[in-house]
Amino acid sequence: MKIRALTVTALLTASLAACSGGQEPDAKASSVKPTPTASKLSALAPVWQPKLDAAAEGAAATCQTPSSKACAEALTDIMIVANELESEIEAQGRGPYPESTKQIAKMQAATDKYVDEGCQGDPAADDPNSDCWGISAITVGAATLGMTLITDDLSQPK
């Protein structure tokens, strides 16, 4: 799963680079780093929910045009944080986070579809009936992921 997540992030990044004439994606996307938790068993939501919120800020509005470079950058920012969170969830000694893991999988599936459909740069992607509108699973999914983290944190053994 980790390899697939990294591949998807790499594909989005490569897609962005190709469409931007070889320029690197926005520095904001690569500057998001996971913050180590105080202990392996500390709650994830207090650390990761603000990161998800920051990455997703304005993404729903930006992605009203799924074909745009700005939308692709917003999706990349969100998925970088989601993939880093997934790595944190998979860390040894961490309890199960079933709802968060399911939400990340939904977001990764939407990312796969966005890439597979060639949504970035395709004017047809902006049609509300286009399959590219499945990106709401990423833009709205970031907020949902923050909520599932809280639920999973509360279900952890004390």
Side-chain angles (χ1 to χ4, degrees):
M1 185 157 197
K2 218 183 248 189
I3 293 173
R4 185 174 79 103
L6 293 173
T7 301
V8 168
T9 301
L11 283 172
L12 270 176
T13 304
S15 174
L16 261 175
C19 290
S20 64
Q23 296 174 345
E24 288 299 313
D26 190 317
K28 181 174 87 172
S30 61
S31 67
V32 177
K33 302 286 184 214
T35 304
T37 55
S39 76
K40 287 184 181 180
L41 299 178
S42 60
L44 293 177
V47 173
W48 289 93
Q49 188 169 15
K51 291 180 183 192
L52 289 162
D53 291 345
E57 187 175 345
T62 298
C63 288
Q64 293 300 306
T65 310
S67 67
S68 71
K69 178 182 175 193
C71 179
E73 289 173 349
L75 298 176
T76 300
D77 291 348
I78 293 168
M79 289 311 299
I80 286 171
V81 174
N83 291 336
E84 289 174 348
L85 171 58
E86 181 180 43
S87 294
E88 182 74 18
I89 289 171
E90 293 173 350
Q92 188 170 353
R94 173 78 53 204
Y97 273 71
E99 297 306 314
S100 300
T101 301
K102 286 180 203 173
Q103 182 58 35
I104 292 170
K106 289 178 188 176
M107 293 167 70
Q108 289 169 336
T111 302
D112 290 346
K113 187 164 186 114
Y114 182 83
V115 171
D116 292 346
E117 295 291 327
C119 297
Q120 184 187 357
D122 181 1
D126 299 336
D127 179 341
N129 296 317
S130 163
D131 286 339
C132 296
W133 280 80
I135 57 171
S136 65
I138 303 167
T139 57
V140 175
T144 304
L145 182 54
M147 290 183 277
T148 61
L149 275 174
I150 293 169
T151 302
D152 284 341
D153 279 343
L154 293 173
S155 68
Q156 296 300 310
K158 303 284 181 209

